[in-house]
Amino acid sequence: MNIVLFGPPGSGKGTQAARLKDRFALAHVSTGDLLRAAVAAGTELGRKVQGILASGELVSDDIVLELIREAVVETEADPSLHGWMLDGYPRTMGQSRALDGLLREQGGCIDAVVVLEVDREAVIERLSARRTCTECKAVYNLKGNPPRQEGKCDHCGGKVIQRSDDEPATISNRLDVYEAQTRPILEYYEAGKVPIHRVDGGRPVDEVTSAIEDALR
Ligand code: AP5
């Protein structure tokens, strides 16, 4: 089963993917996590994209396609996985078409697009309070789900920090970029008859997970 998790920044894509990946034996492929890992490792790619991430603009389609290609090929080669769940990809019409091209090459398809719908105010509130573990990528929220010990991950003891793009001005820009470049992709999938499941992502985390599980079953 191959799934695209879709929704604005802060709609809960990463939170839900972390819960669903084991239940459905899917690889969780987050282009945001892959890019941040490159920045943290100080690779050439990381140096190239660091400023773009911090501004809330999008990295070029070519760069992210290479990351996705590697992840999809790795997933296909792993017999313990039943598919993948893309989080944060595709984000432009060009990326949607590139993904279709890749799937034609690999012989796969998208089985469902799950759209997490959350209004702008709620997303701004969530992202302002989000904290992330630098090691295992666990996601926290200072208002609803803080780490037990300030600044320290409950799961691995890693350092828990605020992402560089979770500053108010950058959050606002990311939401504008989403509306202008990413939301229109849904029409492309509708026209291509890919099943789209719209889920109210404004509900508590467990309820959102159950709604996605119901939709995927
Ligand atoms: P990326 O990392 O993909 O960020 P994003 O799409 O902006 O999404 P977020 O990670 O911010 O939010 P999320 O939906 O995963 O929410 P989360 O679960 O954390 O991309 C970052 C940057 O990388 C981009 O801006 C761009 O520069 C670049 N990039 C990435 N992919 C790219 C691509 N394909 N092309 C070009 N550039 C690309 O939840 C948020 C908060 O809410 C957390 O605190 C969480 O605890 C809380 N929360 C979650 N669910 C709930 C709930 N139901 N109720 C209450 N609180 C909740």
Side-chain angles (χ1 to χ4, degrees):
M1 180 163 66
N2 296 327
I3 308 294
V4 171
L5 263 184
F6 199 91
S11 55
K13 302 181 295 296
T15 300
Q16 294 300 329
R19 297 170 140 236
L20 294 164
K21 63 179 180 149
D22 292 337
R23 291 182 206 182
F24 291 95
L26 301 176
H28 171 202
V29 180
S30 159
T31 38
D33 283 349
L34 293 170
L35 291 165
R36 280 185 292 278
V39 172
T43 63
E44 191 185 337
L45 168 65
R47 286 193 297 278
K48 200 188 268 184
V49 302
Q50 186 166 21
I52 303 173
L53 262 68
S55 72
E57 294 295 321
L58 297 181
V59 169
S60 80
D61 288 357
D62 292 350
I63 288 179
V64 281
L65 176 61
E66 273 321 298
L67 295 174
I68 286 293
R69 182 187 297 280
E70 279 170 30
V72 166
V73 169
E74 268 175 35
T75 304
E76 297 294 328
D78 185 340
S80 69
L81 294 171
H82 294 166
W84 38 254
M85 195 167 24
L86 300 185
D87 161 6
Y89 189 94
R91 265 174 139 103
T92 65
M93 287 301 291
Q95 291 180 18
S96 308
R97 293 196 186 96
L99 178 59
D100 282 350
L102 177 60
L103 295 177
R104 271 194 300 275
E105 271 172 35
Q106 300 284 322
C109 69
I110 298 169
D111 295 296
V113 175
V114 175
V115 186
L116 297 179
E117 296 183 315
V118 183
D119 64 43
R120 192 175 174 109
E121 289 69 32
V123 151
I124 292 172
E125 201 178 316
R126 282 184 187 181
L127 289 180
S128 307
R130 172 168 62 184
R131 298 295 182 270
T132 310
C133 174
T134 52
E135 298 300 321
C136 72
K137 313 301 169 216
V139 176
Y140 297 92
N141 193 282
L142 293 185
K143 291 198 177 143
N145 172 35
R148 283 192 291 270
Q149 197 179 328
E150 198 184 332
K152 193 168 174 190
C153 180
D154 296 351
H155 306 289
C156 73
K159 198 171 166 194
V160 172
I161 58 151
Q162 182 171 35
R163 268 170 49 175
S164 64
D165 57 351
D166 280 347
E167 302 295 334
T170 314
I171 293 172
S172 180
N173 189 35
R174 286 162 61 202
L175 289 167
D176 292 344
V177 168
Y178 174 80
E179 292 301 332
Q181 299 191 53
T182 307
R183 192 189 284 281
I185 296 174
L186 285 177
E187 288 166 26
Y188 174 81
Y189 285 126
E190 266 158 4
K193 308 263 185 291
V194 178
I196 297 181
H197 303 284
R198 293 176 191 275
V199 171
D200 175 1
R203 290 177 291 168
V205 174
D206 286 343
E207 289 183 25
V208 178
T209 309
S210 300
I212 299 174
E213 286 175 337
D214 289 348
L216 295 181
R217 281 196 195 104

